[in-house]
Amino acid sequence: MGQYFADIVAAVGSAMQGMAITFKHIYKKPVTLQYPDERQVMPERFRGFVHNDMTKCDACNICAKLCPVDCIYIEAEGKAKERVMTRYAIDYNKCIWCSLCTENCHTGSITMSHDYDHSVYDRRSLVYEFMDPRVAKIPCHRATRIEQGWWVEPKEDKPGAGDKGDDA
Ligand code: SF4
Ligand code: SF4
């Protein structure tokens, strides 16, 4: 009989505890976002999908060589001043968001974006092509880039960056 009343007291206590938590939060602002209509604002240093600004990239290959999972694909043709990039792609299936590529890019073209949403039905869609050589082949040589009006990194802002794309 004693255990019976002890169980009742424990059950009522437990219910009261639950209700106390409920009442504590009942007038608080909801934290649920109505995704996808509402999006989370990510912290400044959040590592989302890697993005490359192709106007700044000169196919120096540093990012591809440093990538620990080999998910950056760069293709180029021609030599010296004639060298042009024909493919820059990232396989998001393999990327581990380590940021090695972004931290070592000498032009600052590749960055960790705040984009976290790339739902797809086919994994092949996660191999993201950043350029279409049928639209434009991107010159790699510094002099050619300057001549054709492509972005060239300000050397004074990147000490030691040098002309890494010249003979790569
Ligand atoms: S974040 Fe890391 S894994 Fe992803 S592309 Fe850059 S170097 Fe490769
Ligand atoms: S390190 Fe930067 S400039 Fe060099 S290929 Fe990668 S993204 Fe382009």
Side-chain angles (χ1 to χ4, degrees):
M1 187 57 105
Q3 184 60 44
Y4 176 75
F5 285 110
D7 287 347
I8 290 177
V9 170
V12 172
S14 174
M16 296 295 286
Q17 207 175 11
M19 291 308 291
I21 293 171
T22 303
F23 282 119
K24 193 172 147 195
H25 290 276
I26 203 163
Y27 294 113
K28 283 192 175 169
K29 208 175 159 192
V31 292
T32 310
L33 287 178
Q34 299 302 317
Y35 180 86
D37 297 325
E38 295 174 359
R39 302 268 173 156
Q40 178 97 34
V41 178
M42 307 313 288
E44 194 185 332
R45 297 181 65 192
F46 175 79
R47 292 180 185 177
F49 284 88
V50 180
H51 178 261
N52 197 2
D53 176 354
M54 297 310 299
T55 62
K56 295 182 179 178
C57 180
D58 64 4
C60 70
N61 262 320
I62 290 173
C63 54
K65 283 179 183 162
L66 285 174
C67 179
V69 292
D70 294 332
C71 71
I72 299 178
Y73 311 128
I74 301 174
E75 291 170 17
E77 60 188 32
K79 285 194 185 328
K81 284 191 170 184
E82 305 298 320
R83 186 171 183 260
V84 286
M85 176 163 38
T86 53
R87 186 185 188 206
Y88 191 102
I90 298 179
D91 186 348
Y92 291 140
N93 291 292
K94 293 161 73 181
C95 179
I96 56 171
W97 286 264
C98 66
S99 201
L100 275 175
C101 53
T102 65
E103 286 168 16
N104 292 283
C105 172
H106 73 116
T107 67
S109 75
I110 189 166
T111 52
M112 305 300 290
S113 76
H114 284 186
D115 183 9
Y116 55 85
D117 175 9
H118 271 294
S119 306
V120 293
Y121 287 105
D122 184 345
R123 293 185 65 172
R124 285 172 293 188
S125 310
L126 287 174
V127 180
Y128 195 82
E129 302 287 342
F130 283 84
M131 61 171 289
D132 183 348
R134 293 167 301 181
V135 177
K137 293 182 179 180
I138 300 175
C140 308
H141 193 277
R142 183 182 178 86
T144 314
R145 287 177 71 83
I146 292 170
E147 197 180 294
Q148 295 185 11
W150 288 81
W151 192 90
V152 175
E153 86 282 9
K155 279 187 173 179
E156 63 274 16
D157 291 343
K158 301 269 180 186
D163 203 1
K164 292 175 182 172
D166 284 3
D167 56 2

